[in-house]
Amino acid sequence: MKTHVKALVVGGGAVGTSIAYHLAKAGWQDVMLLERDELTSGSTWHAAGLLPLFNMSFATTHIHQYSVEFYKTLEEETGLNAGFAVVGNLRMAQTKERMDEYMVYATTAETCGVPYEFLTPDEIKARWPLINTETLEGALYHHTDGYINPADVTMAMAKGARQRGVEIVRRLQADAFEWNGTHWDVTCTKMVEKGGNLVASEEQVVITAEHVVTASGNHAQRTAKMLGIKIPAIPVEHQFIVTDVDPALQQWRKDGNPEHPVIRDADAQSYVREERGGWILGVYEKNAPAVFEYGVPDSFRADLFPLDLERIEDQYMAMIHRIPSCEESGLKDDFNGPICYTPDGNPLVGPAPGLRNMWLAEGFSFGITAAGGTGYYLAQMMVEGEAEIDMASLDPKRYGNWMTTEFAARKNEECYDHVYILHHPDEERPACRPLRTAPAYDRQKARGAQFGFVNGWERPNYYGPLDAPDNFDHDSRSFRRGGWWQHAVDEAKAIREGVGLIDATAFTKHVVKGPGATAFLDWFTCNKLPKVGRINLTYALTPAGTTRTEYTIVRNGENDYYLVSAGAWTAYDADYLRKCAEDKAGEFGYIEIQDVTTQWGVFAIAGPKSRDVLKAVIKDADPATALSNKRFPWLSARQIELGMCPVNAIRVAYTGELGWELHHPMEMQNYLFDLLEKAGEPHGMKLVGARAQNWLRQEKSYRAFGNELGRDATPAEADLPRFIDLSKDFQGKAEMEAKGIRSKCVTLLIDGPEDADPWGREALYDGDTKIGRLTSGGYSVHFGKSIGMGYVKPELANVGTKLKVRMLNRLWDAEIVEDSPYDPKNATIRVDG
Ligand SMILES: Cc1cc2nc3c(=O)[nH]c(=O)nc-3n(C[C@H](O)[C@H](O)[C@H](O)COP(=O)(O)OP(=O)(O)OC[C@H]3O[C@@H](n4cnc5c(N)ncnc54)[C@H](O)[C@@H]3O)c2cc1C
């Protein structure tokens, strides 16, 4: 057995095995995989093996799609048949709203090249007469996926890995990790069988690895403890049952008919597939409990929990309704096993927070489906520095240190429970809320705020009616324009025509200072650094030249900077900033970094009357000129006093109107809120939420992180040349230039359906040819129609190009417009007074 390797993968389930395989395939020699028990002895052995392509996330769809294609190649490579039955997948809808959901998400599948078709109940009946189509509105059918044998596919990947030089060691448990500057020393214990139990022996070995990947499945909590980090991956119980043979089904097959597709009855929270003449019924039921919150007990191996039939009774009855012929089939087998979840249902894939060369691949609830693609894209990240798709939505650092075991467990239960709810794009999930609230939360709530969940924070999405019932927001949601839409329109208009106040407290804020700060930030970001008292918009790039983070940088002193970035990404941004600064401190000198996110609240006041509101409360020798262009020009920062509140004000507005961001001490937030509210009253100031702001920024073509900005495109491709200083050297510059312009960000005005706007996930067409996708979407109050931003092939990225957008299963006219179609000269932003 080797004791020095390039990469050590911990965990021999489907995920770890695929990662080892793909690292070897990507060219790394000396890859080793450790498994404490037997390969597949974690969740992998008892999975139902379904491979659903249909997914709401762009990254996850790509991952699943890679898996499905890859699994088809394994037999030829390894000689092992993984039992891939490409039977297709039939997602049935019992309501019109469910059909709307399928139409919205089908367009995401389309952007990733996943084929699909819509079927009417009659078409379903004609193809699969055993299905009772009563109560169905229709279905979405994709024929390229199906199911696979999870153990067989893992063994095939293991064989393929061995053929490529990977050493797989079973019965060896990783027990301690120590980073020694250039490598990890991983202390491992040989595991032995004793009376049916797996126990640690006295025998230990230290393996030296340049890189470590953990894919420890249900053992993620133990892994987290060993690494000294938090991993919100906690399993939930998941059940499926297998019925005896169904004579009607047997006859159907005897008559030479093909196998049924996987039948998903989302409105009945279940999936069904054929299994040896009978059926498998898998269920996402209510009240499935989280398990192993503090770790897997030593006594638990490839075990199952007892079946809880009562919990799945409704779904069982629903199956009988949908496939009446199964009524007489008895119960043959049952599985109730731990299935790992995360609070948002996405796995945690990428660099571990705070650690070097430590990669996580944890928290998989669709791990059989995701294993292939995860291995492929994670290997790209490790070997080449970056994956070809943006993996940010799966990054382990999307949860900060505020995350606790109790939060993860309850949120994971909710996530399981929500697998088959209607996934409105404007969905907000209720569990564990409110948790992170800024002081003004109660005041905002009292004024009708309907909150969104951003990195744990409560942030107003919009302000509903004052007498709104508790379920107002829930009932407002829609795949079209929801009940909240008009409120957001009113708020957006208030900012364009009068004045509005937005809570932006969730913003990520870092102080970067010290003798090395200037040289470091100059290298770390692509725009010129601002002069003292000024601000700049700039981007930190990945070493591959793509966009890692968008920053507003305020220069408070020669070597003293205040960095503002997106609220959802605090730990993600902090980690990169710190690691890069540590790497460069030797070259540039001491750099101090403080995460001050929770110390500073932020209100953004914007609109033509915003200056008048501030003038009424600013304390200054000459209040009349304190906010004038001369004393407080656009893109500058000043320390001002509003009443008794010291405020670091920045003259910038993400809405594209005259405005200021008011960064204030968190503990004075309520004082400032009351002061501004009172001062705003004579000017009709409106409280405004994030949804209106999101629309307004699209009218100005302001890119958003996670939408237009991400690790799959360079700032040049995001078409931001004015924020890139090519005369200086910066991290990722050469790589950005080498990439050229593969696709380009544009803004579009869209003549869409009367009752719907795009969500920012739709496919774009030139005639019949798919040529790009939207990354943002919404409604423009200025133009009175839908608006969106997205990426298209560079040769099409010209003002006036007519394209089509797929919405609600139809193509609608769209036209590329100049950047910042609202007020392109920034006249309203610069207005003096
Ligand atoms: C009833 C049920 C049905 C399911 N159906 C499906 C389905 O149809 N489709 C689908 O995609 N997914 C399904 N899943 C989910 C799927 O089983 C998991 O997502 C997947 O198996 C996770 O794979 P993994 O490799 O991450 O984890 P695991 O398979 O749990 O593997 C982790 C491995 O790591 C080992 N390990 C842990 N710690 C250490 C250590 N310190 N040292 C050495 N080894 C260690 C463990 O022994 C284990 O073998 C289902 C799950 C359940 C419970």
Side-chain angles (χ1 to χ4, degrees), residues 10-16 34-38 40-44 46-52 172-175 215-219 222-223 226 238-240 271 335 337-339 361 364-370:
V10 178
V15 174
L34 291 192
E35 166 54 50
R36 65 188 292 277
D37 199 341
E38 294 293 340
T40 78
S41 62
S43 275
T44 294
H46 51 60
L50 310 189
L51 303 174
L172 198 61
Q173 173 172 283
D175 275 335
S216 58
N218 301 317
H219 295 260
R222 181 170 184 273
T223 303
M226 287 191 284
H238 179 43
Q239 318 191 76
F240 68 81
Y271 55 81
F335 293 79
I339 185 167
F364 285 85
S365 56
F366 280 97
I368 310 305
T369 322

